[in-house]
Amino acid sequence: MESIRIGLIGWGTVGCGMLRTLNDNAREIHARLGVRLDVVRVADLDLETPRPVAVDPKILTRSAQDILDDPSIHIVVELIGGIEPARSFILKALERGKHVVTANKALLAHHGNEIFDFASRCGRSVGFEASVAGGIPLLKALREGLSANRLDTLFGILNGTANYILTRMTENGLPFPEALAEAQRQGYAEADPTLDVDGIDTAHKLAIAGAMGFGTPIRFDQVYVEGIRDIDPLDVQFASEFGYRLKLLAIARRTDGQLELRVHPTLIPEQHVLASVRGAYNAVHIHGNAVGNIMLYGLGAGMMPTGSAVVADLVDLARDMTLGIVNRVPPLGFLPEHTADIPVKPMDDVVTRYYFRFSAVDRPGVLSKISGILGTNHISIAAVIQKGREVEGAVPIVMLTHEAVEKDVRRSLEAIDLLDIVRGTTRLIRIEDRAENTAPRA
Ligand code: HSE
């Protein structure tokens, strides 16, 4: 086999990154592989808009079917995103005996189990490194580099747009709408930023990486998700006074025979390695029982980083094809018959530390009423500050708790928010500062 023939569906940003990488790094890739990776057909509905990477007009088509119907194509790369028609294209490609590479995290979060099962029945492989954390080889690390480990925790920053917004709010005191508008102007956030700022994109990625890290099926519908729309710069400032940074974290943790899968704004100690991840960068912190703490860091989006991940999948597939092997490594790293349905811990049962900001009238006895309710619900206070700054006729009282159970916290805040001395809804932010996961900075 001298060349592997590739059909690309989706001539967008990531498609251009893939084409440029294949072109610019052709020598390196060939030196690693010994065969050529030839893109022989490119399909997109829009062939008019100028792209940063040109394609020979002879191989362009508006119809993905031209690629699916071409028996000479070995690998189909799906880079159109969304659920349909991407799902149908992938299933059709597998059925026709083609391997598939995709960057489509939403599709895999919802239908990954079905797609991997179908691929296995077709004797074909699906590569999806680019679906999580862009250019960071996270999935390869989970599947292969960390295969000797039992993971305890995997948590990280998996959305560059949200991290950019939170960085601007932290470092420049911008309110959320201004930071979002700036992210849109800079091209980080979409016109409709829902997937990024409401945590959904992060949850898609956590569902995939969590399944791979812990040997379970993908269970997107069981991921708890909160986004960053309601973050107030005041909370970012107070958190900083306590020595914390605010990040949108994806957290997967094994506790009590269950798996926590949650995405929410989180306070992490300023000295934690993840606290220094600024702007549009992603990073993932993993604790394995053999390797200890590790962190992977890099760009989670963009033409070239994501294109690099797509090409890495092509190289892996091509290596297996030249050796006549299929699915040398199972898609999620664990043999499908040995994946475990570890129950997902209900959010109510999660135990963590909390930051609360109450807005209360400034008069004697207020703190004792609030702390009385917390005490009755088994919540122990670790620190408290009250600042004389008035916000809508009330003063902010900020508390940090010791570890508490989420349902006790919810019950307490419901009662506290009904007190006549409390104004508005209390802000809650969860804290991650377990010593075993707080590797000091190098
Ligand atoms: N929109 C994502 C981000 C990149 O901002 O990280 C693609 O997953």
Side-chain angles (χ1 to χ4, degrees):
M1 186 178 264
E2 280 182 13
S3 116
I4 285 171
R5 294 169 64 82
I6 296 161
L8 167 64
I9 305 177
W11 184 25
T13 305
V14 180
C16 286
M18 174 194 112
L19 293 167
R20 182 168 287 166
T21 306
L22 285 172
N23 190 50
D24 292 359
N25 296 346
R27 267 185 46 174
E28 282 79 0
I29 293 166
H30 189 267
R32 288 186 167 106
L33 199 51
V35 295
R36 285 197 328 271
L37 297 175
D38 290 334
V39 178
V40 296
R41 208 89 164 107
V42 175
D44 201 292
L45 292 175
D46 169 11
L47 301 182
E48 282 73 44
T49 306
R51 312 293 213 278
V53 179
V55 170
D56 178 352
K58 288 201 288 294
I59 67 166
L60 282 173
T61 172
R62 280 199 174 76
S63 169
Q65 205 60 42
D66 289 344
I67 290 176
L68 301 172
D69 287 341
D70 183 341
S72 77
I73 288 179
H74 302 109
I75 303 177
V76 171
V77 180
E78 179 278 305
L79 297 178
I80 56 175
I83 305 293
E84 283 295 352
R87 175 176 162 276
S88 300
F89 290 162
I90 287 176
L91 294 177
K92 185 62 75 182
L94 293 167
E95 195 180 37
R96 302 247 166 116
K98 302 174 193 314
H99 300 290
V100 167
V101 172
T102 177
N104 195 330
K105 61 246 160 192
L107 176 64
L108 294 178
H110 288 280
H111 298 287
N113 300 319
E114 166 205 354
I115 289 171
F116 299 147
D117 180 54
F118 188 71
S120 155
R121 284 190 277 122
C122 295
R124 291 296 175 265
S125 303
V126 180
F128 51 102
E129 183 64 58
S131 66
V132 182
I136 305 175
L138 170 65
L139 302 187
K140 182 90 167 170
L142 288 172
R143 219 172 1 212
E144 301 191 48
L146 295 171
S147 60
N149 284 263
R150 183 174 197 268
L151 296 198
D152 307 313
T153 53
L154 176 157
F155 60 91
I157 296 163
L158 293 177
N159 186 278
T161 307
N163 202 50
Y164 178 87
I165 291 170
L166 290 177
T167 303
R168 295 290 283 139
M169 291 178 72
T170 304
E171 297 181 5
N172 307 88
L174 295 188
F176 172 80
E178 274 181 40
L180 169 62
E182 188 189 291
Q184 285 169 324
R185 280 196 302 277
Q186 298 287 332
Y188 292 119
E190 310 273 345
D192 175 1
T194 307
L195 287 177
D196 291 326
V197 302
D198 291 340
I200 302 160
D201 175 79
T202 304
H204 287 151
K205 295 165 180 167
L206 179 67
I208 298 167
M212 200 174 271
F214 294 87
T216 69
I218 296 172
R219 291 170 299 183
F220 170 70
D221 56 348
Q222 295 185 51
V223 180
Y224 174 83
V225 192
E226 258 177 48
I228 61 168
R229 272 184 211 272
D230 294 334
I231 296 295
D232 189 315
L234 201 57
D235 295 312
V236 177
Q237 277 171 40
F238 282 131
S240 156
E241 288 179 32
F242 281 111
Y244 290 98
R245 281 282 158 78
L246 183 67
K247 296 290 179 190
L248 179 65
L249 281 200
I251 302 172
R253 167 178 291 116
R254 202 192 293 266
T255 46
D256 316 319
Q258 296 178 311
L259 191 61
E260 297 176 23
L261 286 176
R262 47 194 172 102
V263 172
H264 49 68
T266 311
L267 297 180
I268 51 174
E270 270 167 3
Q271 68 272 22
H272 193 286
V273 281
L274 284 177
S276 59
V277 177
R278 299 174 60 252
Y281 275 84
N282 283 199
V284 184
H285 182 282
I286 297 168
H287 187 269
N289 65 348
V291 74
N293 287 315
I294 66 164
M295 191 168 97
L296 300 166
Y297 169 85
L299 282 170
M303 180 168 113
M304 295 309 287
T306 316
S308 154
V310 171
V311 174
D313 274 345
L314 292 173
V315 169
D316 271 0
L317 275 177
R319 281 189 171 133
D320 287 356
M321 287 168 69
T322 53
L323 294 172
I325 302 170
V326 177
N327 280 323
R328 182 183 66 85
V329 185
L332 292 173
F334 287 75
L335 294 169
E337 62 272 28
H338 288 291
T339 54
D341 233 334
I342 309 174
V344 174
K345 185 173 248 190
M347 196 59 200
D348 264 359
D349 297 343
V350 163
V351 175
T352 190
R353 296 188 59 211
Y354 293 84
Y355 160 106
F356 302 139
R357 175 167 58 83
F358 307 101
S359 294
V361 296
D362 198 7
R363 83 164 83 112
V366 166
L367 261 181
S368 75
K369 278 194 179 161
I370 292 173
S371 56
I373 293 177
L374 294 174
T376 310
N377 286 291
H378 326 289
I379 297 165
S380 164
I381 299 164
V384 55
I385 50 172
Q386 180 186 333
K387 297 276 182 174
R389 302 173 213 166
E390 283 232 340
V391 180
E392 290 159 13
V395 288
I397 299 172
V398 179
M399 267 183 199
L400 303 190
T401 74
H402 290 296
E403 287 200 332
V405 183
E406 177 94 6
K407 62 173 167 294
D408 292 338
V409 167
R410 293 267 173 212
R411 197 183 309 119
S412 304
L413 296 190
E414 271 169 31
I416 289 168
D417 286 352
L418 290 175
L419 294 173
D420 60 358
I421 46 135
V422 169
R423 302 277 177 269
T425 308
T426 298
R427 298 300 176 108
L428 166 167
I429 306 176
R430 298 172 190 86
I431 301 174
E432 269 302 313
D433 62 356
R434 286 161 221 244
E436 69 272 23
N437 293 322
T438 310
R441 272 192 202 154

